[in-house]
Amino acid sequence: DAKTTQPPSMDCAEGRAANLPCNHSTISGNEYVYWYRQIHSQGPQYIIHGLKNNETNEMASLIITEDRKSSTLILPHATLRDTAVYYCIVRVGTSGSARQLTFGSGTQLTVLP
Amino acid sequence: KAGVTQTPRYLIKTRGQQVTLSCSPISGHRSVSWYQQTPGQGLQFLFEYFSETQRNKGNFPGRFSGRQFSNSRSEMNVSTLELGDSALYLCASSFGAFEGNTIYFGEGSWLTVV
């Protein structure tokens, strides 16, 4: 299984961009990178996902390096409500166990006023 | 468009009892999966159903079971509850069981076993 490595915690000033890194050096060519976040006691919230190209939606941008071994989630203007645990997940393969999401420990992002 | 709905949101059970949790996926979604979240183990995959068939199962004992109905709604059951089963149980749905399909989670069911 492709595994991900994320820093355990990060701080960001309110209004500034939050850049959350993720290392997935063993990713395979057909594996997507997903980002979710979880605010305490709530279900994980989908943020964005991508295969090889950079992606942007109303919540965030996802930058995937050319070799696909790492990615960065960018929250362009962080607010206090963005304080959460952010999970970077590589979805493994296409069959059987591939359909599940394997969550690591994630990054606790704290947005400071 | 309604999200993934889980019921009940909170429940308390006694050791040895059984519990059934319900999940209604997003309309049109055919894949439903279940996860358990505990402070010690984090989020762990339980099982996944697609078109009423269990397609994948995580590393949990046989006390944990589930099923999916023809309308894609799903239930999971835990029999002979143990204290360690206290957790947040999350249901997630997606249109299909493919890598590129986004998986959306419900708010979860908090189970406390006493």
Side-chain angles (χ1 to χ4, degrees), chain A residues 83-110:
Chain A
T83 293
V85 178
Y86 287 76
Y87 296 99
C88 169
I89 301 162
V90 170
R91 196 168 182 192
V92 180
T94 58
S95 64
S97 63
R99 298 185 184 90
Q100 68 195 69
L101 296 174
T102 301
F103 287 82
S105 301
T107 295
Q108 171 66 59
L109 174 68
T110 302

PDB file of all heavy atoms in Angstrom, chain A residues 83-110:
ATOM      1  N   THR A  83      -9.546  25.252  11.252  1.00  0.00           N
ATOM      2  CA  THR A  83      -8.830  24.472  12.253  1.00  0.00           C
ATOM      3  C   THR A  83      -9.412  23.066  12.287  1.00  0.00           C
ATOM      4  O   THR A  83     -10.607  22.879  12.526  1.00  0.00           O
ATOM      5  CB  THR A  83      -8.939  25.115  13.643  1.00  0.00           C
ATOM      6  OG1 THR A  83      -8.233  26.363  13.635  1.00  0.00           O
ATOM      7  CG2 THR A  83      -8.361  24.216  14.722  1.00  0.00           C
ATOM      8  N   ALA A  84      -8.581  22.071  12.005  1.00  0.00           N
ATOM      9  CA  ALA A  84      -9.052  20.690  11.865  1.00  0.00           C
ATOM     10  C   ALA A  84      -7.847  19.776  11.688  1.00  0.00           C
ATOM     11  O   ALA A  84      -6.712  20.244  11.541  1.00  0.00           O
ATOM     12  CB  ALA A  84      -9.978  20.553  10.656  1.00  0.00           C
ATOM     13  N   VAL A  85      -8.111  18.482  11.684  1.00  0.00           N
ATOM     14  CA  VAL A  85      -7.089  17.509  11.295  1.00  0.00           C
ATOM     15  C   VAL A  85      -7.248  17.250   9.806  1.00  0.00           C
ATOM     16  O   VAL A  85      -8.351  16.944   9.339  1.00  0.00           O
ATOM     17  CB  VAL A  85      -7.238  16.190  12.081  1.00  0.00           C
ATOM     18  CG1 VAL A  85      -6.186  15.180  11.605  1.00  0.00           C
ATOM     19  CG2 VAL A  85      -7.086  16.435  13.575  1.00  0.00           C
ATOM     20  N   TYR A  86      -6.145  17.390   9.072  1.00  0.00           N
ATOM     21  CA  TYR A  86      -6.163  17.215   7.621  1.00  0.00           C
ATOM     22  C   TYR A  86      -5.475  15.894   7.273  1.00  0.00           C
ATOM     23  O   TYR A  86      -4.355  15.634   7.687  1.00  0.00           O
ATOM     24  CB  TYR A  86      -5.467  18.385   6.937  1.00  0.00           C
ATOM     25  CG  TYR A  86      -6.303  19.635   6.981  1.00  0.00           C
ATOM     26  CD1 TYR A  86      -6.413  20.380   8.144  1.00  0.00           C
ATOM     27  CD2 TYR A  86      -7.009  20.059   5.856  1.00  0.00           C
ATOM     28  CE1 TYR A  86      -7.217  21.522   8.201  1.00  0.00           C
ATOM     29  CE2 TYR A  86      -7.810  21.197   5.895  1.00  0.00           C
ATOM     30  CZ  TYR A  86      -7.904  21.911   7.077  1.00  0.00           C
ATOM     31  OH  TYR A  86      -8.699  23.033   7.122  1.00  0.00           O
ATOM     32  N   TYR A  87      -6.168  15.095   6.494  1.00  0.00           N
ATOM     33  CA  TYR A  87      -5.657  13.787   6.106  1.00  0.00           C
ATOM     34  C   TYR A  87      -5.325  13.762   4.614  1.00  0.00           C
ATOM     35  O   TYR A  87      -6.150  14.147   3.779  1.00  0.00           O
ATOM     36  CB  TYR A  87      -6.687  12.692   6.372  1.00  0.00           C
ATOM     37  CG  TYR A  87      -7.042  12.473   7.816  1.00  0.00           C
ATOM     38  CD1 TYR A  87      -8.197  13.032   8.366  1.00  0.00           C
ATOM     39  CD2 TYR A  87      -6.236  11.684   8.632  1.00  0.00           C
ATOM     40  CE1 TYR A  87      -8.539  12.816   9.687  1.00  0.00           C
ATOM     41  CE2 TYR A  87      -6.569  11.460   9.961  1.00  0.00           C
ATOM     42  CZ  TYR A  87      -7.720  12.026  10.476  1.00  0.00           C
ATOM     43  OH  TYR A  87      -8.054  11.807  11.788  1.00  0.00           O
ATOM     44  N   CYS A  88      -4.139  13.313   4.322  1.00  0.00           N
ATOM     45  CA  CYS A  88      -3.714  13.061   2.948  1.00  0.00           C
ATOM     46  C   CYS A  88      -3.769  11.545   2.747  1.00  0.00           C
ATOM     47  O   CYS A  88      -3.187  10.798   3.537  1.00  0.00           O
ATOM     48  CB  CYS A  88      -2.292  13.588   2.757  1.00  0.00           C
ATOM     49  SG  CYS A  88      -1.488  13.084   1.228  1.00  0.00           S
ATOM     50  N   ILE A  89      -4.475  11.101   1.729  1.00  0.00           N
ATOM     51  CA  ILE A  89      -4.696   9.672   1.546  1.00  0.00           C
ATOM     52  C   ILE A  89      -4.415   9.305   0.105  1.00  0.00           C
ATOM     53  O   ILE A  89      -4.840   9.994  -0.818  1.00  0.00           O
ATOM     54  CB  ILE A  89      -6.156   9.305   1.889  1.00  0.00           C
ATOM     55  CG1 ILE A  89      -6.487   9.686   3.328  1.00  0.00           C
ATOM     56  CG2 ILE A  89      -6.417   7.823   1.654  1.00  0.00           C
ATOM     57  CD1 ILE A  89      -7.970   9.769   3.596  1.00  0.00           C
ATOM     58  N   VAL A  90      -3.694   8.210  -0.057  1.00  0.00           N
ATOM     59  CA  VAL A  90      -3.515   7.664  -1.395  1.00  0.00           C
ATOM     60  C   VAL A  90      -4.413   6.447  -1.510  1.00  0.00           C
ATOM     61  O   VAL A  90      -4.352   5.541  -0.682  1.00  0.00           O
ATOM     62  CB  VAL A  90      -2.042   7.262  -1.635  1.00  0.00           C
ATOM     63  CG1 VAL A  90      -1.914   6.479  -2.936  1.00  0.00           C
ATOM     64  CG2 VAL A  90      -1.165   8.491  -1.661  1.00  0.00           C
ATOM     65  N   ARG A  91      -5.261   6.487  -2.492  1.00  0.00           N
ATOM     66  CA  ARG A  91      -6.206   5.391  -2.657  1.00  0.00           C
ATOM     67  C   ARG A  91      -5.534   4.317  -3.497  1.00  0.00           C
ATOM     68  O   ARG A  91      -5.101   4.557  -4.610  1.00  0.00           O
ATOM     69  CB  ARG A  91      -7.477   5.872  -3.310  1.00  0.00           C
ATOM     70  CG  ARG A  91      -8.625   4.899  -3.153  1.00  0.00           C
ATOM     71  CD  ARG A  91      -9.911   5.524  -3.548  1.00  0.00           C
ATOM     72  NE  ARG A  91     -11.014   4.620  -3.351  1.00  0.00           N
ATOM     73  CZ  ARG A  91     -12.224   4.828  -3.824  1.00  0.00           C
ATOM     74  NH1 ARG A  91     -12.466   5.912  -4.528  1.00  0.00           N
ATOM     75  NH2 ARG A  91     -13.181   3.976  -3.605  1.00  0.00           N
ATOM     76  N   VAL A  92      -5.458   3.143  -2.948  1.00  0.00           N
ATOM     77  CA  VAL A  92      -4.603   2.100  -3.497  1.00  0.00           C
ATOM     78  C   VAL A  92      -5.328   1.255  -4.523  1.00  0.00           C
ATOM     79  O   VAL A  92      -6.358   0.673  -4.226  1.00  0.00           O
ATOM     80  CB  VAL A  92      -4.110   1.184  -2.353  1.00  0.00           C
ATOM     81  CG1 VAL A  92      -3.211   0.090  -2.883  1.00  0.00           C
ATOM     82  CG2 VAL A  92      -3.407   2.005  -1.308  1.00  0.00           C
ATOM     83  N   GLY A  93      -4.794   1.183  -5.712  1.00  0.00           N
ATOM     84  CA  GLY A  93      -5.242   0.215  -6.695  1.00  0.00           C
ATOM     85  C   GLY A  93      -6.666   0.369  -7.182  1.00  0.00           C
ATOM     86  O   GLY A  93      -7.301   1.393  -7.020  1.00  0.00           O
ATOM     87  N   THR A  94      -7.180  -0.671  -7.766  1.00  0.00           N
ATOM     88  CA  THR A  94      -8.494  -0.603  -8.391  1.00  0.00           C
ATOM     89  C   THR A  94      -9.401  -1.761  -7.997  1.00  0.00           C
ATOM     90  O   THR A  94     -10.538  -1.832  -8.416  1.00  0.00           O
ATOM     91  CB  THR A  94      -8.377  -0.619  -9.934  1.00  0.00           C
ATOM     92  OG1 THR A  94      -7.679  -1.810 -10.320  1.00  0.00           O
ATOM     93  CG2 THR A  94      -7.638   0.602 -10.426  1.00  0.00           C
ATOM     94  N   SER A  95      -8.947  -2.680  -7.204  1.00  0.00           N
ATOM     95  CA  SER A  95      -9.792  -3.832  -6.899  1.00  0.00           C
ATOM     96  C   SER A  95      -9.695  -4.190  -5.430  1.00  0.00           C
ATOM     97  O   SER A  95      -8.774  -3.766  -4.741  1.00  0.00           O
ATOM     98  CB  SER A  95      -9.377  -5.039  -7.745  1.00  0.00           C
ATOM     99  OG  SER A  95      -8.061  -5.426  -7.413  1.00  0.00           O
ATOM    100  N   GLY A  96     -10.655  -4.937  -4.965  1.00  0.00           N
ATOM    101  CA  GLY A  96     -10.649  -5.456  -3.608  1.00  0.00           C
ATOM    102  C   GLY A  96     -10.389  -4.381  -2.577  1.00  0.00           C
ATOM    103  O   GLY A  96     -11.134  -3.420  -2.451  1.00  0.00           O
ATOM    104  N   SER A  97      -9.295  -4.520  -1.889  1.00  0.00           N
ATOM    105  CA  SER A  97      -8.999  -3.596  -0.795  1.00  0.00           C
ATOM    106  C   SER A  97      -8.722  -2.193  -1.279  1.00  0.00           C
ATOM    107  O   SER A  97      -8.615  -1.272  -0.486  1.00  0.00           O
ATOM    108  CB  SER A  97      -7.799  -4.097   0.006  1.00  0.00           C
ATOM    109  OG  SER A  97      -6.647  -4.138  -0.819  1.00  0.00           O
ATOM    110  N   ALA A  98      -8.619  -2.049  -2.585  1.00  0.00           N
ATOM    111  CA  ALA A  98      -8.282  -0.743  -3.143  1.00  0.00           C
ATOM    112  C   ALA A  98      -9.347   0.291  -2.881  1.00  0.00           C
ATOM    113  O   ALA A  98      -9.071   1.482  -2.881  1.00  0.00           O
ATOM    114  CB  ALA A  98      -8.061  -0.870  -4.639  1.00  0.00           C
ATOM    115  N   ARG A  99     -10.578  -0.146  -2.697  1.00  0.00           N
ATOM    116  CA  ARG A  99     -11.643   0.830  -2.614  1.00  0.00           C
ATOM    117  C   ARG A  99     -11.664   1.563  -1.280  1.00  0.00           C
ATOM    118  O   ARG A  99     -12.318   2.567  -1.136  1.00  0.00           O
ATOM    119  CB  ARG A  99     -12.984   0.152  -2.853  1.00  0.00           C
ATOM    120  CG  ARG A  99     -13.094  -0.468  -4.229  1.00  0.00           C
ATOM    121  CD  ARG A  99     -14.475  -1.020  -4.444  1.00  0.00           C
ATOM    122  NE  ARG A  99     -14.570  -1.696  -5.716  1.00  0.00           N
ATOM    123  CZ  ARG A  99     -14.318  -2.981  -5.899  1.00  0.00           C
ATOM    124  NH1 ARG A  99     -13.963  -3.706  -4.872  1.00  0.00           N
ATOM    125  NH2 ARG A  99     -14.421  -3.525  -7.082  1.00  0.00           N
ATOM    126  N   GLN A 100     -10.987   1.039  -0.292  1.00  0.00           N
ATOM    127  CA  GLN A 100     -11.055   1.694   1.001  1.00  0.00           C
ATOM    128  C   GLN A 100     -10.095   2.865   1.053  1.00  0.00           C
ATOM    129  O   GLN A 100      -9.162   2.963   0.269  1.00  0.00           O
ATOM    130  CB  GLN A 100     -10.706   0.696   2.104  1.00  0.00           C
ATOM    131  CG  GLN A 100      -9.248   0.261   2.080  1.00  0.00           C
ATOM    132  CD  GLN A 100      -9.002  -0.975   2.912  1.00  0.00           C
ATOM    133  OE1 GLN A 100      -9.435  -2.054   2.569  1.00  0.00           O
ATOM    134  NE2 GLN A 100      -8.322  -0.796   4.030  1.00  0.00           N
ATOM    135  N   LEU A 101     -10.342   3.743   1.987  1.00  0.00           N
ATOM    136  CA  LEU A 101      -9.435   4.831   2.283  1.00  0.00           C
ATOM    137  C   LEU A 101      -8.663   4.449   3.537  1.00  0.00           C
ATOM    138  O   LEU A 101      -9.261   4.069   4.544  1.00  0.00           O
ATOM    139  CB  LEU A 101     -10.205   6.132   2.517  1.00  0.00           C
ATOM    140  CG  LEU A 101     -10.984   6.673   1.319  1.00  0.00           C
ATOM    141  CD1 LEU A 101     -11.811   7.886   1.749  1.00  0.00           C
ATOM    142  CD2 LEU A 101     -10.037   7.067   0.197  1.00  0.00           C
ATOM    143  N   THR A 102      -7.370   4.529   3.468  1.00  0.00           N
ATOM    144  CA  THR A 102      -6.530   4.227   4.626  1.00  0.00           C
ATOM    145  C   THR A 102      -6.053   5.537   5.225  1.00  0.00           C
ATOM    146  O   THR A 102      -5.247   6.250   4.608  1.00  0.00           O
ATOM    147  CB  THR A 102      -5.340   3.343   4.222  1.00  0.00           C
ATOM    148  OG1 THR A 102      -5.835   2.126   3.659  1.00  0.00           O
ATOM    149  CG2 THR A 102      -4.496   3.012   5.444  1.00  0.00           C
ATOM    150  N   PHE A 103      -6.568   5.857   6.385  1.00  0.00           N
ATOM    151  CA  PHE A 103      -6.251   7.119   7.050  1.00  0.00           C
ATOM    152  C   PHE A 103      -5.008   6.963   7.911  1.00  0.00           C
ATOM    153  O   PHE A 103      -4.864   5.994   8.643  1.00  0.00           O
ATOM    154  CB  PHE A 103      -7.407   7.553   7.941  1.00  0.00           C
ATOM    155  CG  PHE A 103      -8.607   8.070   7.194  1.00  0.00           C
ATOM    156  CD1 PHE A 103      -9.526   7.192   6.656  1.00  0.00           C
ATOM    157  CD2 PHE A 103      -8.815   9.430   7.029  1.00  0.00           C
ATOM    158  CE1 PHE A 103     -10.633   7.646   5.959  1.00  0.00           C
ATOM    159  CE2 PHE A 103      -9.919   9.900   6.343  1.00  0.00           C
ATOM    160  CZ  PHE A 103     -10.832   9.008   5.800  1.00  0.00           C
ATOM    161  N   GLY A 104      -4.120   7.938   7.819  1.00  0.00           N
ATOM    162  CA  GLY A 104      -2.979   8.007   8.725  1.00  0.00           C
ATOM    163  C   GLY A 104      -3.342   8.876   9.911  1.00  0.00           C
ATOM    164  O   GLY A 104      -4.513   9.010  10.263  1.00  0.00           O
ATOM    165  N   SER A 105      -2.334   9.497  10.498  1.00  0.00           N
ATOM    166  CA  SER A 105      -2.557  10.343  11.671  1.00  0.00           C
ATOM    167  C   SER A 105      -2.943  11.765  11.303  1.00  0.00           C
ATOM    168  O   SER A 105      -3.488  12.495  12.125  1.00  0.00           O
ATOM    169  CB  SER A 105      -1.305  10.367  12.547  1.00  0.00           C
ATOM    170  OG  SER A 105      -0.973   9.066  12.958  1.00  0.00           O
ATOM    171  N   GLY A 106      -2.632  12.176  10.069  1.00  0.00           N
ATOM    172  CA  GLY A 106      -3.009  13.505   9.619  1.00  0.00           C
ATOM    173  C   GLY A 106      -2.186  14.621  10.223  1.00  0.00           C
ATOM    174  O   GLY A 106      -1.267  14.400  11.020  1.00  0.00           O
ATOM    175  N   THR A 107      -2.519  15.835   9.824  1.00  0.00           N
ATOM    176  CA  THR A 107      -1.886  17.052  10.344  1.00  0.00           C
ATOM    177  C   THR A 107      -2.935  17.881  11.070  1.00  0.00           C
ATOM    178  O   THR A 107      -3.977  18.207  10.484  1.00  0.00           O
ATOM    179  CB  THR A 107      -1.294  17.907   9.204  1.00  0.00           C
ATOM    180  OG1 THR A 107      -0.239  17.195   8.566  1.00  0.00           O
ATOM    181  CG2 THR A 107      -0.759  19.232   9.746  1.00  0.00           C
ATOM    182  N   GLN A 108      -2.654  18.206  12.311  1.00  0.00           N
ATOM    183  CA  GLN A 108      -3.534  19.109  13.054  1.00  0.00           C
ATOM    184  C   GLN A 108      -3.174  20.534  12.650  1.00  0.00           C
ATOM    185  O   GLN A 108      -2.105  21.026  13.011  1.00  0.00           O
ATOM    186  CB  GLN A 108      -3.372  18.918  14.556  1.00  0.00           C
ATOM    187  CG  GLN A 108      -4.101  19.972  15.390  1.00  0.00           C
ATOM    188  CD  GLN A 108      -5.609  19.908  15.255  1.00  0.00           C
ATOM    189  OE1 GLN A 108      -6.220  18.892  15.548  1.00  0.00           O
ATOM    190  NE2 GLN A 108      -6.227  21.008  14.820  1.00  0.00           N
ATOM    191  N   LEU A 109      -4.049  21.162  11.904  1.00  0.00           N
ATOM    192  CA  LEU A 109      -3.845  22.566  11.526  1.00  0.00           C
ATOM    193  C   LEU A 109      -4.589  23.446  12.511  1.00  0.00           C
ATOM    194  O   LEU A 109      -5.797  23.275  12.722  1.00  0.00           O
ATOM    195  CB  LEU A 109      -4.359  22.826  10.110  1.00  0.00           C
ATOM    196  CG  LEU A 109      -4.323  24.297   9.671  1.00  0.00           C
ATOM    197  CD1 LEU A 109      -2.883  24.768   9.512  1.00  0.00           C
ATOM    198  CD2 LEU A 109      -5.113  24.519   8.389  1.00  0.00           C
ATOM    199  N   THR A 110      -3.869  24.370  13.091  1.00  0.00           N
ATOM    200  CA  THR A 110      -4.488  25.344  13.986  1.00  0.00           C
ATOM    201  C   THR A 110      -4.344  26.719  13.351  1.00  0.00           C
ATOM    202  O   THR A 110      -3.225  27.162  13.071  1.00  0.00           O
ATOM    203  CB  THR A 110      -3.826  25.333  15.365  1.00  0.00           C
ATOM    204  OG1 THR A 110      -3.927  24.012  15.924  1.00  0.00           O
ATOM    205  CG2 THR A 110      -4.500  26.333  16.294  1.00  0.00           C
TER     206      THR A 110
END
